Every structure is written in C-alpha cells, then in structure tokens.
Amino acid sequence: MNRMLVLAALVLAFVGYAGWSFMDSVTPYVGIREAKASASPVQVKGLLAKEAPAPKMDGNDFVFTLQDEETGETLPVRYHGMKPDQFDEAHHIVAIGKAKDGVFEADKLLIKCPSKYESQK
C-alpha cells in the first residue's frame, strides 16, 4: 500500500512539473500595446514602420520599429543579433522577447515573407 502511495505521489509530482514547464515555455501573441506593458516574454507581430528611422545595426544589435497593422501604434525593437537575410522582403515581422525601458528587447525574429505561390497583384 505504501508503494502505491509513493508511486502515485511521484506520478502527480511529474505531471505537475511537466505542466509547469510547458506553461513556462509558452510565449503568447500580444498586440503592441500589450507588449509595451508586459514584463514576461511575448510574441508581437507587426509591419516595418515606414515613417520611423531606417532599420540599422547598432553594435551587435539590429534596431528597427514595428507598427501595428490595425492601430498604427509603433514599438521600437532591439534584436540581439544580425539583420535577418529576408528582412527587406518581410510581409510581417514577429519579435519574441520583452519590453524594457520603452524598447522591445527581442531574442528571436520570425520573418514572414509573401509566398512565391501566391498570385501576384
């Protein structure tokens, strides 16, 4: 009987730990307004802001500005890495990281380019 209780406790502990680890690794999508206020890592999607300063390298970081498609709100982004190869052809940009002192500090960028299979307009 004691073995069954110990085994059940171990299984429950493992399931609890696995669930906690999974929830800790999930990075939710949010809008620019929410990204500015979030203290935890999030994913924010937008377009390259045309009215902002041109994207550039600043030391080892790539700096640009995202713009929300719907609201037009902007968010300065500092990506800790080199400019992605297809950045200039990007249809949408997804930055993964968190805001700090008014700048979104991104550890990852996902570049969404138009598909070559979509019809040309």
Side-chain angles (χ1 to χ4, degrees):
M1 187 65 164
N2 286 339
R3 287 185 182 178
M4 292 298 285
L5 288 174
V6 169
L7 181 62
L10 285 174
V11 168
L12 285 174
F14 174 76
V15 168
Y17 177 73
W20 175 76
S21 294
F22 175 75
M23 291 306 293
D24 193 42
S25 68
V26 173
T27 309
Y29 267 98
V30 297
I32 286 181
R33 181 170 294 133
E34 293 87 2
K36 288 179 179 179
S38 179
S40 60
V42 294
Q43 298 184 54
V44 60
K45 179 175 116 177
L47 305 171
L48 181 62
K50 303 294 183 195
E51 305 298 320
K56 66 178 182 175
M57 287 300 298
D58 183 15
N60 292 329
D61 296 337
F62 181 58
V63 179
F64 63 96
T65 303
L66 271 182
Q67 183 171 7
D68 191 298
E69 281 184 273
E70 297 170 9
T71 66
E73 192 170 359
T74 60
L75 177 66
V77 177
R78 177 174 290 275
Y79 169 57
H80 305 294
M82 299 298 293
K83 177 181 176 182
D85 290 337
Q86 296 182 330
F87 186 84
D88 294 327
E89 293 86 33
H91 181 64
H92 286 102
I93 302 164
V94 177
I96 304 170
K98 58 184 172 181
K100 181 180 177 185
D101 299 326
V103 175
F104 193 79
E105 301 284 339
D107 297 316
K108 294 181 186 175
L109 286 183
L110 303 175
I111 306 301
K112 302 200 176 208
C113 296
S115 171
K116 65 181 180 180
Y117 302 106
E118 291 179 3
S119 64
Q120 298 292 322
K121 293 183 181 179

